[in-house]
Amino acid sequence: MKHFAIVSALALGVTSAAQADTWDMPTPYGDATFHTQNIAQFADEIAAATDGALEITVHSGGSLFPHGEIRNVVRSGQVPIGEFFLSLLVNDDAAFGIDSQPFVATSYDDAARLWAAQEPVITELLSAQGLMPLFSVPWPAQGLYTNGEIATVDDLAGLRFRSYNAALEEFATLAKAAPVQVEAPDIPQAFATGQVEAMVTSPSTGVNSTAWDFVTHYTPINAWVPKNIVVVNERAFRRLPEDVQAAVMSAAEAAEARGWEMSAAEADAQTKVLADNGMVIVEPSAELTAGLQEIGAQMLENWKANASEAALSILTTYQGQ
Ligand code: PCA
């Protein structure tokens, strides 16, 4: 009897240790960013649904790992889950980069159709790396932040231009600007020190980085609607009890739906915040738009030249819809 009691106590100890999991989750953007807030809610929902059996600790703003390493550390199992900017993986396969190509998908409707075509392809590519996508959420369409009005592409020539991925670097180069890679949390400092003097990003990131402190004009060129993605290490996920796995999947589905709504609400609301803080909002001139579309057309040719069959099938599916 005594022996039995000891054995069950041990068994209980083992069981409760296996039941309570804490996952560290690195993310690239700051706490004021709607993506981070959406992820915080995702974590809360999982903790509540599993009675604390899975607690996710969010490490925002690149505080646990730099943005460029987040995919690799989830892949290696150093952390079980993480968020990153999807098109950063474009060097693995062009399929990851299609949402950052100018003028392919410029509205939320387009972005949703593009994601429907892209999701099965990138799910397979990530699975080959031992990763499973949980949910993906778009940023508001990307606009132009400058000092003074930009009437034509020529006005961008020579500007030190903040960039966040390979596509934006190519875009800036084709506009004869000088791209400089800067992570979102470092934007204010990069402008303050003169490292950069213009950028393309969403109204959300413009507001989160108090763009009115260093630029005067915002031009909503709305050229692409890029996404973040949250991925989980497949082995770490499979180790979870089945009911916890189900709670993660259902919180992920809710987070994707909520994130798209938050993004759409931010597009107008944060543009208004830019205006309320004194920025001049200028609709792009026909000439500027035409010039940017030419750059986009050339970029898409380059993208296609580097695209796998699977990547090209995304475009075919999307354009055929
Ligand atoms: N904000 C992020 C990515 C796209 C966006 O709107 C950034 O500027 O880094």
Side-chain angles (χ1 to χ4, degrees):
M1 191 65 200
K2 201 177 166 197
H3 178 72
F4 176 75
I6 290 167
V7 170
S8 6
L10 278 175
L12 266 178
V14 168
T15 311
S16 62
Q19 272 176 353
D21 254 309
T22 303
W23 279 8
D24 286 311
M25 176 171 187
T27 76
Y29 305 100
D31 289 337
T33 308
F34 75 93
H35 288 280
T36 313
Q37 291 165 351
N38 189 34
I39 286 170
Q41 200 170 330
F42 163 75
D44 286 349
E45 279 181 17
I46 291 173
T50 63
D51 266 332
L54 179 59
E55 302 269 0
I56 296 178
T57 308
V58 179
H59 301 270
S60 61
S63 58
L64 189 60
F65 288 103
H67 191 179
E69 282 179 29
I70 292 177
R71 183 276 301 270
N72 293 342
V73 293
V74 181
R75 184 177 182 175
S76 71
Q78 265 177 282
V79 290
I81 188 169
E83 179 202 32
F84 52 86
F85 194 60
L86 180 60
S87 55
L88 288 188
L89 304 195
V90 69
N91 287 337
D92 292 11
D93 193 294
F96 292 106
I98 186 66
D99 70 9
S100 292
Q101 288 295 313
F103 303 108
V104 170
T106 59
S107 67
Y108 283 103
D109 282 351
D110 286 355
R113 288 194 300 108
L114 184 62
W115 176 226
Q118 187 187 26
E119 185 177 13
V121 174
I122 63 128
T123 298
E124 202 176 319
L125 291 168
L126 288 171
S127 170
Q129 303 182 7
L131 297 171
M132 187 171 89
L134 286 181
F135 61 93
S136 182
V137 172
W139 292 89
Q142 305 289 291
L144 183 59
Y145 294 73
T146 52
N147 273 309
E149 190 174 337
I150 299 296
T152 72
V153 169
D154 287 345
D155 294 339
L156 296 171
L159 293 181
R160 288 186 299 281
F161 207 91
R162 182 259 168 170
S163 162
Y164 53 59
N165 70 357
L168 188 46
E169 201 170 309
E170 187 182 2
F171 180 86
T173 305
L174 288 170
K176 302 195 169 56
V180 182
Q181 287 287 331
V182 176
E183 284 299 320
D186 302 328
I187 290 173
Q189 203 197 345
F191 274 94
T193 58
Q195 211 190 343
V196 297
E197 53 194 335
M199 66 177 171
V200 166
T201 188
S202 58
S204 303
T205 298
V207 169
N208 291 156
S209 47
T210 60
W212 48 86
D213 287 343
F214 37 79
V215 283
T216 54
H217 284 61
Y218 178 65
T219 312
I221 57 172
N222 295 344
W224 59 96
V225 181
K227 297 182 295 291
N228 288 357
I229 191 162
V230 170
V231 303
V232 68
N233 178 293
E234 271 178 355
R235 269 169 299 133
F237 182 76
R238 296 245 162 76
R239 277 199 296 269
L240 296 172
E242 262 175 37
D243 56 334
V244 177
Q245 290 187 17
V248 171
M249 294 316 285
S250 111
E253 200 181 320
E256 180 155 304
R258 184 175 60 237
W260 282 70
E261 278 169 22
M262 290 170 95
S263 182
E266 286 243 331
D268 291 338
Q270 302 292 53
T271 303
K272 188 170 179 303
V273 174
L274 296 175
D276 289 348
N277 280 280
M279 288 191 67
V280 185
I281 316 292
V282 221
E283 284 309 313
S285 69
E287 205 182 341
L288 176 62
T289 302
L292 295 176
Q293 279 173 343
E294 239 173 74
I295 289 176
Q298 179 165 357
M299 285 176 65
L300 193 58
E301 285 314 306
N302 298 345
W303 180 89
K304 283 182 186 163
N306 289 313
S308 61
E309 285 299 314
L312 289 171
S313 77
I314 299 173
L315 205 53
T316 315
T317 307
Y318 169 68
Q319 287 173 338
Q321 270 168 346

